[in-house]
Amino acid sequence: MSEVVHTPRVFSGIQPSGNLTLGNYLGALKRFAQAQDNGISSIYCMVDLHAITVWQDPAKLANATRELCAGFIASGLDPARSILFNQSQVPEHTQMAWVFNCVARMGWMQRMTQFKDKAGKNAQNASLGLFAYPALMAADILTYHATHVPVGEDQKQHIELTRDIAIKFNNDYGVDFFPVTAPVIEGAATRVMSLRDGSKKMSKSDPSDMSRINLTDDADTIAKKIRKAKTDPEPLPEDIDGLEARPEARNLVNIYAALSDQSVAQVMAEMGGKPFSEFKPLLADLAVDKIAPISTEMSRLMQDPAEIDRILANGAERARAIAAPILKETYKIVGMVGA
Ligand code: AQP
């Protein structure tokens, strides 16, 4: 059988599971906007079906989905150039997910660290959806034959599972139909850590609001959170190697580098040796400079929720035009009558 060459296509998603954080911005949104500005047209999904794998209050979920869309646009994504939509408006995702539930193996799913982290000690009480989360994610990606998925470090294992599903499907059915997707994990902030604990990822669902910078925080709040960020008593080291055993210092330097579009080495050349009492105000000014305009633009966009709904509906229509034929072909390969 001849090998199919898949045209490059970028897909990524974010859950509307709460306030967007600086981690989501630096690990995902900012890089999406850069890719778009480099001429790569892409598909971005607000994964509301993923969000309900843990409890979401319905009214808050709808609001969070619109706010996430506002966050994409305020971060520089243009709904005319990129496709922006919410997952539940494109039923092909769940239809494909069922096929992948039948391809993925229990043992693969049981190895997923995100399930273990999120289910915690009470795994028996976690939803079946939380366990199946990565198969739906594989469906999100492969229903578009996406070849590249920009994500933060935490999603690497899920992309590897997506590759395993594509390879097993292709082998089982003797086809070369699904691409073997590559994760794109690059930049200084692929893993932004909590401001309260340098060993934990900054996360929307962390119970402590002081652990993260939200894209909706105002300038004073951003500055306060950075001022109070946990650090050790030593000044910044003179070079990168000195950051090795100092997770909180390294995190703040990484954030500075990512926000200022510099390498960590460049930041250390400028900031090395400075005490936190000097470095933190500089970081706070930079963060306010970059994040406050996003927050302002998000609130402006949120004043017209009907316009956001139109953008999502239009994106869903364009997404379906790509997804439907790929699902149909998948059903044909699997042997479904009527496909
Ligand atoms: N701390 C982070 N550093 C870098 N990238 C991050 N991402 C998330 N946190 C960081 C990236 O943001 C994208 C969207 O993630 P998601 O919302 O779908 O789910 P998540 O990774 O589980 O993010 P959160 O904030 O931790 O959400 P909750 O708390 O709801 O689980 C992904 O590309 C992710 O890598």
Side-chain angles (χ1 to χ4, degrees):
M1 190 177 309
S2 67
E3 199 168 306
V4 180
V5 177
H6 291 277
T7 349
R9 181 176 283 148
V10 175
F11 175 96
S12 199
I14 299 189
Q15 298 185 77
S17 48
N19 282 323
L20 280 167
T21 70
L22 181 67
N24 297 132
Y25 177 66
L26 294 176
L29 292 167
K30 181 170 192 250
R31 294 166 52 218
F32 299 167
Q34 283 165 341
Q36 173 194 267
D37 294 342
N38 289 336
I40 303 168
S41 74
S42 312
I43 304 170
Y44 295 116
C45 187
M46 333 281 130
V47 290
D48 45 10
L49 295 166
H50 274 114
I52 61 163
T53 56
V54 298
W55 169 251
Q56 303 291 337
D57 176 273
K60 284 194 188 148
L61 177 63
N63 190 62
T65 305
R66 294 187 181 106
E67 197 168 82
L68 175 55
C69 183
F72 268 89
I73 298 169
S75 301
L77 276 304
D78 171 4
R81 281 190 283 162
S82 299
I83 297 181
L84 303 181
F85 71 106
N86 59 311
Q87 192 182 24
S88 58
Q89 288 207 67
V90 179
E92 283 77 8
H93 289 234
T94 38
Q95 291 172 286
M96 188 68 95
W98 182 257
V99 177
F100 290 167
N101 280 343
C102 301
V103 173
R105 306 289 92 182
M106 291 291 285
W108 299 359
M109 311 300 277
Q110 272 156 356
R111 284 197 290 275
M112 295 296 114
T113 54
Q114 181 175 292
F115 175 75
K116 290 185 210 163
D117 291 346
K118 289 200 172 177
K121 289 195 179 67
N122 205 0
Q124 290 300 313
N125 208 27
S127 72
L128 183 56
L130 189 65
F131 189 68
Y133 184 112
L136 177 59
M137 180 164 161
D140 296 339
I141 296 166
L142 295 173
T143 303
Y144 299 93
H145 275 187
T147 53
H148 296 84
V149 181
V151 278
E153 185 68 41
D154 59 314
Q155 291 297 330
K156 192 169 170 220
Q157 196 186 29
H158 287 164
I159 308 293
E160 279 157 9
L161 188 103
T162 300
R163 295 161 67 90
D164 290 341
I165 289 177
I167 292 167
K168 182 162 163 51
F169 181 98
N170 288 346
N171 280 342
D172 286 354
Y173 292 99
V175 291
D176 191 357
F177 184 61
F178 286 117
V180 180
T181 307
V184 185
I185 302 172
E186 49 195 27
T190 55
R191 194 167 169 79
V192 178
M193 307 310 277
S194 156
L195 298 179
R196 307 303 306 157
D197 177 352
S199 67
K200 261 173 65 185
K201 163 183 113 135
M202 183 181 285
S203 173
K204 304 185 202 93
S205 52
D206 192 310
S208 161
D209 193 57
M210 291 301 283
S211 70
R212 61 177 165 263
I213 291 172
N214 304 304
L215 292 194
T216 48
D217 284 344
D218 61 23
D220 286 350
T221 312
I222 296 172
K224 184 175 92 189
K225 286 179 176 175
I226 291 181
R227 216 172 39 244
K228 299 211 167 210
K230 185 180 165 203
T231 45
D232 53 47
E234 302 297 318
L236 282 176
E238 296 294 338
D239 54 27
I240 300 187
D241 293 343
L243 289 171
E244 199 54 39
R246 297 176 59 189
E248 280 86 14
R250 191 178 54 208
N251 188 37
L252 296 186
V253 169
N254 284 349
I255 293 174
Y256 193 98
L259 283 173
S260 61
D261 293 309
Q262 296 183 83
S263 67
V264 173
Q266 281 169 318
V267 174
M268 289 309 286
E270 196 189 336
M271 302 289 174
K274 282 196 198 300
F276 283 106
S277 56
E278 252 181 76
F279 175 63
K280 277 182 168 179
L282 294 171
L283 176 59
D285 285 349
L286 176 65
V288 167
D289 206 39
K290 300 286 178 181
I291 302 301
I294 297 178
S295 161
T296 310
E297 179 61 1
M298 281 173 75
S299 345
R300 192 190 65 78
L301 292 163
M302 283 301 281
Q303 278 165 15
D304 190 357
E307 174 58 14
I308 293 188
D309 291 2
R310 272 191 293 278
I311 289 170
L312 290 173
N314 173 273
E317 204 178 305
R318 286 151 65 206
R320 280 199 91 175
I322 304 169
I326 293 177
L327 178 78
K328 193 172 167 63
E329 188 58 30
T330 308
Y331 273 15
K332 249 192 219 156
I333 292 169
V334 172
M336 301 291 171
V337 172

